[in-house]
Structure formats: C-alpha cells, structure tokens
Amino acid sequence: MDLVLSEEQELLARTVREFVNGRSSLKRVRRLRDRHDADGFSRELWREMAALGWLGIVVPEEYGGAGLGWLELMVVLEELGRGLMPEPMISTVLLGTSALLLGGTDAHKREHLPAVAGGERLLAVAYEEPRSRYDLNHVEARAEKSGSGWLLSGEKAHVLDGHVADWLIVSARTSGGPRAAGGITLFVLRADTPGVTIERQSRIDSRNAARVRLDDVRVGAETVLGTVDHGGALLARVLDRATIGLTAEMLGGMTAALEMTVEYLKTRVQFGVLIGTFQALKHRAAKMYIETELARSVVMGAHRALDEGRDDGTIARLASVAKARCADAFNLIAKEGVQMHGGIGMTDEHDIGLFLKRARVAEMTFGDAGHHRDRVARLEGY
Amino acid sequence: MAELETFREETRRWLQANAPASMYTPYKTQDELCWGGKKMQCPPDTKRWLEVMAERGWTAPTWPKEYGGGGLAKAEAKILAEEMGKLRLRPPLIGFGLSMIGPLLLQEGSEELRRAHVPAIAKGEIRWCQGYSEPGAGSDLASLQTKAIRDGDIFVVNGQKVWTSYGDKADWMFVLVRTDFEAKKQDGITFLLMDMTSPGVSVRPILLISGSSPFTETFLSDVRVPVRNVVGNVNAGWAMAKVLLGHERTMIADAFKERDDAKRLVSLAREYVGEADGCIADPLLRDAITQVAMDQACLDLTLERSRDNMKAGHKPGPETSIFKYYGTELNMRRRELMVSITGPQGLGWEGPGYDEDELKLTRDWLRSRGNSIEGGTSEVQLNIIAKRVLGLPD
C-alpha cells in the first residue's frame, strides 16, 4: 500500500474539514469549558457524526459499521484534531470499539457495536489507576470469583469520557501480584451497575476524564472480555490501536498550531518590519514544519500497518515510534507557538494556549515519549 | 502482471548466474564500490561485475538503450532493484555521472552531447566531478567568479573551484562559469562540460580534519573549452545547477540510509557499555540510541511517502531540503553517539591501542561534521523551507 491518500480519502478529509469549520469552532470548545457543560461535548454533533458514518469507520458492516480502513479513520481524526474537537472519539471509537473488536464475543459485538456506530452508546475504558503511571500491568483493582460471576473492587483514574459513558470496560486483577503481567482480566459492564461511582476530573485541556470507584460491583460471567487472566495482552493491543489513532489527532493539532503561528509571523510588526523576516524565527518555524512532515509520515505508516493487518510486534513498534514523535513534535510546536506569539500567547483569550494544553495531555495519554522509547528498546531486546 | 513476474524470475536467474561471488559481500564504505573512469583501480570481480551489467545496460536501468541504458520501464527497474536488494548485491557502478550529469544530459543536453557522453557514463568509462563552489562562493553559490571569455567557438576559462569531490580521480568536470558580468548574478552563469586533461587544469587535494582528502581544489588557467560543450544555453546555467542540486540533496539523504546502523549502535553499546538486567547499562545512551533509530524510521517513511507522492502524480515539493537537512543532522548525531558509546577508545587517531574499527569510527565522526555544510548548509535548507513552503517574508 502506497503512503499516499487516495482521492476518496482526500475527499473525506475535505468533508470533515468543512464539517469542523462549519459546525464547530474553538469558540464552541471554549463555551463547553467556560459554561462547565455537563456533558463536555455536543450530543447533537455526535449524532451528526454518526449519521455521516464516522463512528463506525473500522467497524465491519455486519456490526453496523462502514467496514473501511484505519487510514480513513486517520483522516477524520486528523481533521477533528485541527479543531480540538472534544467529542468522545478516543474513548468510544478508538479504545472501546477496539476492545470489543479484538476481545469481544459475537454476542458482545452485536450488543455494542451497532449502537456505538449509530451514536447511541458511549464507551469508556478504565485501565489506569492513580499509581499506575504508564504501566498497563500495574493493576490493583481486584475481581474475586463470586458464584457464577465476579465481584469487582478498586479505583481507576484518568478514565477518558468516564462520566458520560454508558458502558465501561474495566481491567481488574484476577490473579498474581499488583504488577504481574499475567492475571489481568477485562470486564464490560453498564456504567450504572450498583457499586460503580464515577466522579468527573478537571484537567488542563478541559476534556472529559473521570475517577471510577468500584465497590463490590457484582457482574456476571458474560461480562468477561477475552479470556480470564489474559486481559493484559488484549489491553496492550487495544492501546496500540488507540495510540495510533491518537497520533492522528495530534498531527491535526500540531498542524493547526503551526499554521496559526506562521500566520502570526506574517502579520505581526515590530521594529517596523514583519517579525517573520527575522531569521531567528524563520529557522525555528522551518524546523517545526519538518517535524510535522516526519510526524505525518509515521502516523500514516502506523495506520497503514493496521490496514495491512501486520503482526502485533510491528504494530506495537510503530505505535510507539509514532506516539513518541508526535508527543515531542506537538509539544515543541505548541511551546514555540506560544513563544513566537509573545505576550498575547500567554493570555487565555488567544487560542494558541489551547493547543499547548492539549499537547501536554495528549503526550501523557497512553504514555509519554520517554515511555515509548523505552518500550521500543525493550521490544528490540536491549 | 504475469509478464512482470516472468521478468522477475528471469532477472533473478540472470543475476545469480552472472554476479561474481564477492559482489554479495556487504561493503563498509562507498570507496569499495566501482566509480568507473580511466583511473579506475578495482579488484577483478568488481570490474567484471561492471562489465556484465553495463553490457545489459543495467548500470543505468531506466536510461534508453540507444544511450547505453537498459531501457527498462519503471516497474521493471523496481523489480531489478528489489531482486538486487534481496540478493544483497552491490551496485555495479556509482558516481556523479550516473546520478547527476547523465540524467541532466538526457533531459537537457543536445543530441551531440548525449551521444558523446551518456553511453560512456553508463559503461563506467568516464568518471565525473562537479565544479560548483569557489573560495568566495559557498552558500552564496550564485556569486561565483570563475570567468569564461568567448573566443570564437571556444570559451577560455580562468578561476578556482573548491570542494570538488574526487577531483583528482575524475576525467571530466561539469562546471559553472560566469559568462555575463553585467547581468543579475544568477543570469550570467553557464553550465560547461570540461575535460580534466585539458592544458591549464590542475588539482590539489584538501586535507580534512578527519585526515582524509575526498575533495580537491581545482585551478583553471586559460583552459580552452569548446562552446558546443555548453549544456542548455549560454547564461542559462543556473537553472541547470538548480536541477542538479535537487538530485544531489536527495542523494545525500539516501546515502545516509544505513539499514544496519540501529543494530550497530546496540552491538557497540553492548560491547563498550555493557548490560544490566538485559538492558544497555547506561540509560541515557540507551535512550539516545532508540531516539536515533526512531528518527531514522520516520525519515525512511518520509522518503517513501515522497516517492509515492511523485508516483501518484503530485508535484515534488520541498522534500529535498527536508531530506538534506534532517538526513545530515541525523547522521551527525549518530556518528557523535558512536564515539560517546566507545568512550576513550573513540579518541584514537592512529597507532597502537586502537583497532581498525575504532579508528574508522572516530574519523567518520570527524568527517560527518561536514554533512551539514556540504551540498547547501543546514541554514540554507531552513531558509528555503521558510521561504518556499511557509511563505515567510524576506
């Protein structure tokens, strides 16, 4: 598969861009934040996105999706990322859908995927814990056998879109010590199951995240996703897919931040000249552009690997290479963006700061650059 | 498709039947490959490999047969390259003739010049060098001052070129000279082909900080060059030069694609730094090694994307500047890292206490400091991107 978008994919990109420009704006994103919107996103836009077929892009047609590829999803995520759209794509379309596709039974898929693709159901994957940092295997939440089902207890944190989710996918320990690689199991349960308490967290980018407490939550055997004790490996595969999708969003964000900054260099006058004439700024802007080009290549390469059905090792490696690159590039461009805007860049009124905040949160979602370099080194055996 | 598969089969069989055994061994530097030319000195196998490949036109697979090329379609040439890659065969011939002046002559040269030079390039008979930079014209190449005064059907050339790659080994030089002293600096330049054996040409190697001398100074004193050796038109040489600079920058980036380097860094680190719990013992060096490997992967994907874009009919963009800038900076980082990994053993210049690989690694690091200078400095590349891509004002 060539590393170039097809005409259909280019057309899709234009459609999404027009949608974002016409139906959203950074003003809308600010309004959600400033009015403490209860949902943190627009259910109306979400339904429109479902109607356009964007929520089920990688869902097979038999489960109500479009049966398209990851490159199509990349194109959508990138454009949404340009507009800092807070709609629950990462939680529902990337994490939740991937968990069901990779680990779900046919019954699980029939139960959830058509509703997800139709925009009627939101999912959240609760795998991080307050002390787990980026270690997927650090799971202290427990699942004890109870009759034919399970009893879940523990605490999860940074659960993306947790407080709006209809269903949760939760990792819990069914055997082994708190950091053991084996002994983790995934469960899929209704968010309003008795004993589940969800508390919204407020983070710098004002996107949805939540703490989830599990107090003796009783669930049936049918809630197990994948195999008991083997949820860790499944979760890693899910996160690789979600990570790759997230890098597409980050690519959109860094591209928009760069364009905003370059535009400012072409309009801001100091010392009687446009500041874009200063070579000290030109060279930095050129380096920022090079970073976006390298990021675009690896983001496309990672999505292509998913479409080509490459082996898990290749996908894991590319997910980490793409995430590390995008984390560094997005942060660099956002920081330089603020610096080149000068004083106005430090104000809440100016939009460049929104990108700085999003860059930092995206960096630490699913592991920062250092974590992913360490992971690549381990995958390569050194 | 079936025809291409047949071509692949036949190609593989032919390569296996004709490649001398030693052509399967990997090479450490390009100096071990065949550069062709009258002063060529290479082992019999290398010479034989050149001859059999040249006879088939496969030293220049896509060039037309009438000019000594293989006349292959792009898809066939790709298959040939793939099969050579799979067999890990060395290229039969490299150099500026194949990569630069040959393609330019095919694109822009007169029929007479094409017939005179292109087949000799494909056969590896003539080695070429490039006469661009001058003592006063480095980054600002267009300010070059080497004079060519017309005398009937002859140009009389006087001046000095510098940083001529392998000027002492080349037979011919493509050279930029000033033919109009009144016009805007870019508009008075002519692109000439010059025989290095002409009276008045003298060459002196330049000793670099690495101890090697891959470049020369070239002195031109009343050198007589026929007017028919002009490529393109008189005073229109700058356009030719720019076409070639693009080729050169892509080539420089490609030259740094050293597939095994990630593994080389790791094996060096295992040897010189050691391991702890299965990881390279120094976490900072381990992270730096991974960073280099990952950056290389991103650059490789960018090269691939650029080729795919051109294949899909998109116009080439500013990629060459990106490749030149990033490829060289990355190579310099890698060389520097190798010396860091090697530690004090990476400080040897010559003599006892250091093995051959250590000495080479050190000198390669010193040599690499020139990567961000030659072929257009990093700063010039950033200026190009700022202006042409970002549209920042002058």
Side-chain angles (χ1 to χ4, degrees), chain B residues 137-163:
Chain B
S139 288
D140 181 15
L141 179 61
S143 67
L144 59 94
Q145 292 300 325
T146 293
K147 282 191 287 193
I149 306 290
R150 191 154 178 171
D151 176 13
D153 53 4
I154 293 286
F155 276 117
V156 180
V157 182
N158 277 286
Q160 183 189 343
K161 292 290 172 181
V162 72
W163 302 119

CSV table of all heavy atoms in Angstrom, one decimal, chain B residues 137-163:
chain,number,residue,atom,x,y,z
B,137,ALA,N,32.4,31.7,-3.1
B,137,ALA,CA,31.0,31.3,-3.4
B,137,ALA,C,30.7,30.0,-2.8
B,137,ALA,O,31.0,28.9,-3.4
B,137,ALA,CB,30.8,31.3,-4.9
B,138,GLY,N,30.3,30.0,-1.5
B,138,GLY,CA,29.9,28.8,-0.8
B,138,GLY,C,28.4,28.7,-0.8
B,138,GLY,O,27.8,28.3,-1.8
B,139,SER,N,27.8,29.1,0.4
B,139,SER,CA,26.4,29.1,0.5
B,139,SER,C,25.8,30.0,-0.6
B,139,SER,O,24.7,29.7,-1.2
B,139,SER,CB,25.9,29.6,1.8
B,139,SER,OG,26.2,28.6,2.8
B,140,ASP,N,26.5,31.1,-0.9
B,140,ASP,CA,26.0,32.0,-1.9
B,140,ASP,C,26.6,31.6,-3.3
B,140,ASP,O,27.5,32.3,-3.8
B,140,ASP,CB,26.4,33.4,-1.5
B,140,ASP,CG,25.9,34.5,-2.5
B,140,ASP,OD1,25.1,34.2,-3.4
B,140,ASP,OD2,26.5,35.6,-2.5
B,141,LEU,N,26.2,30.5,-3.8
B,141,LEU,CA,26.9,29.9,-4.9
B,141,LEU,C,26.8,30.8,-6.2
B,141,LEU,O,27.7,30.9,-7.0
B,141,LEU,CB,26.2,28.5,-5.2
B,141,LEU,CG,26.7,27.8,-6.4
B,141,LEU,CD1,28.2,27.4,-6.3
B,141,LEU,CD2,25.9,26.5,-6.7
B,142,ALA,N,25.7,31.5,-6.3
B,142,ALA,CA,25.4,32.3,-7.5
B,142,ALA,C,26.4,33.4,-7.7
B,142,ALA,O,26.5,34.1,-8.7
B,142,ALA,CB,24.0,32.8,-7.5
B,143,SER,N,27.2,33.7,-6.6
B,143,SER,CA,28.2,34.8,-6.7
B,143,SER,C,29.5,34.3,-7.3
B,143,SER,O,30.5,35.0,-7.2
B,143,SER,CB,28.4,35.5,-5.4
B,143,SER,OG,29.0,34.5,-4.5
B,144,LEU,N,29.5,33.1,-7.9
B,144,LEU,CA,30.8,32.5,-8.4
B,144,LEU,C,31.4,33.4,-9.5
B,144,LEU,O,30.8,34.2,-10.2
B,144,LEU,CB,30.5,31.2,-9.0
B,144,LEU,CG,29.5,31.0,-10.1
B,144,LEU,CD1,30.2,31.1,-11.5
B,144,LEU,CD2,28.7,29.7,-10.0
B,145,GLN,N,32.8,33.4,-9.5
B,145,GLN,CA,33.5,34.4,-10.3
B,145,GLN,C,34.4,33.7,-11.3
B,145,GLN,O,35.1,34.4,-12.1
B,145,GLN,CB,34.4,35.2,-9.3
B,145,GLN,CG,33.7,36.1,-8.4
B,145,GLN,CD,32.8,37.2,-9.2
B,145,GLN,OE1,33.2,37.6,-10.3
B,145,GLN,NE2,31.6,37.5,-8.7
B,146,THR,N,34.4,32.4,-11.5
B,146,THR,CA,35.3,31.8,-12.5
B,146,THR,C,34.8,32.3,-13.9
B,146,THR,O,33.6,32.2,-14.2
B,146,THR,CB,35.2,30.2,-12.4
B,146,THR,OG1,35.8,29.8,-11.2
B,146,THR,CG2,35.9,29.6,-13.6
B,147,LYS,N,35.7,32.9,-14.6
B,147,LYS,CA,35.4,33.6,-15.9
B,147,LYS,C,35.5,32.7,-17.1
B,147,LYS,O,36.5,31.9,-17.2
B,147,LYS,CB,36.4,34.7,-16.1
B,147,LYS,CG,36.2,36.0,-15.3
B,147,LYS,CD,37.0,37.1,-15.8
B,147,LYS,CE,38.5,36.9,-15.5
B,147,LYS,NZ,39.3,38.1,-15.7
B,148,ALA,N,34.6,32.8,-18.0
B,148,ALA,CA,34.7,32.2,-19.3
B,148,ALA,C,34.5,33.2,-20.4
B,148,ALA,O,33.5,33.8,-20.5
B,148,ALA,CB,33.7,31.0,-19.5
B,149,ILE,N,35.6,33.5,-21.1
B,149,ILE,CA,35.6,34.5,-22.1
B,149,ILE,C,35.5,33.9,-23.5
B,149,ILE,O,36.3,33.0,-23.8
B,149,ILE,CB,36.8,35.5,-22.1
B,149,ILE,CG1,37.0,36.0,-20.7
B,149,ILE,CG2,36.7,36.6,-23.1
B,149,ILE,CD1,35.9,37.1,-20.2
B,150,ARG,N,34.6,34.3,-24.3
B,150,ARG,CA,34.4,33.6,-25.6
B,150,ARG,C,35.5,34.0,-26.6
B,150,ARG,O,35.8,35.2,-26.7
B,150,ARG,CB,33.0,33.9,-26.1
B,150,ARG,CG,32.7,33.0,-27.3
B,150,ARG,CD,31.2,32.8,-27.5
B,150,ARG,NE,30.9,32.0,-28.6
B,150,ARG,CZ,29.8,31.5,-28.9
B,150,ARG,NH1,28.7,31.8,-28.2
B,150,ARG,NH2,29.6,30.8,-30.0
B,151,ASP,N,36.0,33.0,-27.3
B,151,ASP,CA,37.0,33.3,-28.3
B,151,ASP,C,36.6,32.4,-29.5
B,151,ASP,O,37.0,31.3,-29.6
B,151,ASP,CB,38.4,33.0,-27.8
B,151,ASP,CG,39.5,33.1,-28.8
B,151,ASP,OD1,39.2,33.7,-29.9
B,151,ASP,OD2,40.6,32.6,-28.6
B,152,GLY,N,35.7,32.9,-30.4
B,152,GLY,CA,35.2,32.1,-31.5
B,152,GLY,C,34.3,31.0,-31.0
B,152,GLY,O,33.4,31.2,-30.2
B,153,ASP,N,34.7,29.8,-31.3
B,153,ASP,CA,33.9,28.6,-30.9
B,153,ASP,C,34.5,28.0,-29.6
B,153,ASP,O,34.3,26.8,-29.3
B,153,ASP,CB,33.7,27.6,-32.0
B,153,ASP,CG,35.0,27.1,-32.6
B,153,ASP,OD1,36.0,27.6,-32.1
B,153,ASP,OD2,34.9,26.3,-33.5
B,154,ILE,N,35.3,28.8,-28.9
B,154,ILE,CA,36.0,28.3,-27.7
B,154,ILE,C,35.7,29.3,-26.5
B,154,ILE,O,35.5,30.5,-26.7
B,154,ILE,CB,37.5,28.3,-27.9
B,154,ILE,CG1,37.9,27.3,-29.0
B,154,ILE,CG2,38.3,28.2,-26.6
B,154,ILE,CD1,37.9,25.9,-28.5
B,155,PHE,N,35.5,28.7,-25.3
B,155,PHE,CA,35.5,29.5,-24.1
B,155,PHE,C,36.9,29.4,-23.4
B,155,PHE,O,37.4,28.3,-23.3
B,155,PHE,CB,34.4,29.1,-23.1
B,155,PHE,CG,33.1,29.6,-23.3
B,155,PHE,CD1,32.0,28.8,-23.7
B,155,PHE,CD2,32.8,31.0,-23.2
B,155,PHE,CE1,30.7,29.3,-23.9
B,155,PHE,CE2,31.5,31.5,-23.5
B,155,PHE,CZ,30.5,30.6,-23.8
B,156,VAL,N,37.4,30.5,-23.0
B,156,VAL,CA,38.7,30.5,-22.3
B,156,VAL,C,38.4,30.7,-20.8
B,156,VAL,O,37.8,31.7,-20.4
B,156,VAL,CB,39.7,31.5,-22.8
B,156,VAL,CG1,41.0,31.4,-22.0
B,156,VAL,CG2,39.9,31.4,-24.3
B,157,VAL,N,38.6,29.7,-20.0
B,157,VAL,CA,38.2,29.7,-18.6
B,157,VAL,C,39.3,29.9,-17.6
B,157,VAL,O,40.4,29.3,-17.7
B,157,VAL,CB,37.5,28.3,-18.3
B,157,VAL,CG1,37.0,28.3,-16.8
B,157,VAL,CG2,36.4,28.0,-19.2
B,158,ASN,N,39.1,30.9,-16.7
B,158,ASN,CA,40.1,31.2,-15.6
B,158,ASN,C,39.4,31.3,-14.3
B,158,ASN,O,38.3,31.9,-14.2
B,158,ASN,CB,40.8,32.5,-15.9
B,158,ASN,CG,41.9,32.3,-16.9
B,158,ASN,OD1,43.0,31.8,-16.6
B,158,ASN,ND2,41.7,32.7,-18.2
B,159,GLY,N,40.0,30.7,-13.3
B,159,GLY,CA,39.4,30.8,-11.9
B,159,GLY,C,39.8,29.6,-11.1
B,159,GLY,O,40.7,28.9,-11.4
B,160,GLN,N,39.0,29.5,-9.9
B,160,GLN,CA,39.4,28.5,-9.0
B,160,GLN,C,38.1,27.8,-8.4
B,160,GLN,O,37.2,28.6,-8.0
B,160,GLN,CB,40.2,29.0,-7.8
B,160,GLN,CG,40.6,28.0,-6.8
B,160,GLN,CD,41.3,28.5,-5.6
B,160,GLN,OE1,41.7,29.7,-5.6
B,160,GLN,NE2,41.3,27.7,-4.5
B,161,LYS,N,38.0,26.5,-8.5
B,161,LYS,CA,36.9,25.8,-7.8
B,161,LYS,C,37.5,25.1,-6.6
B,161,LYS,O,38.6,24.8,-6.5
B,161,LYS,CB,36.4,24.7,-8.8
B,161,LYS,CG,35.7,25.3,-10.0
B,161,LYS,CD,34.4,26.0,-9.6
B,161,LYS,CE,33.7,26.8,-10.7
B,161,LYS,NZ,32.5,27.4,-10.3
B,162,VAL,N,36.5,24.9,-5.6
B,162,VAL,CA,36.9,24.3,-4.4
B,162,VAL,C,35.9,23.3,-4.0
B,162,VAL,O,34.7,23.3,-4.5
B,162,VAL,CB,37.2,25.3,-3.3
B,162,VAL,CG1,35.9,26.0,-2.8
B,162,VAL,CG2,38.0,24.8,-2.1
B,163,TRP,N,36.2,22.4,-3.1
B,163,TRP,CA,35.3,21.3,-2.6
B,163,TRP,C,34.9,20.4,-3.8
B,163,TRP,O,33.7,20.0,-3.8
B,163,TRP,CB,34.1,21.9,-1.9
B,163,TRP,CG,34.5,22.7,-0.7
B,163,TRP,CD1,34.2,24.0,-0.5
B,163,TRP,CD2,35.3,22.2,0.4
B,163,TRP,NE1,34.8,24.4,0.7
B,163,TRP,CE2,35.5,23.3,1.2
B,163,TRP,CE3,35.9,21.0,0.8
B,163,TRP,CZ2,36.2,23.3,2.4
B,163,TRP,CZ3,36.6,20.9,1.9
B,163,TRP,CH2,36.7,22.1,2.8
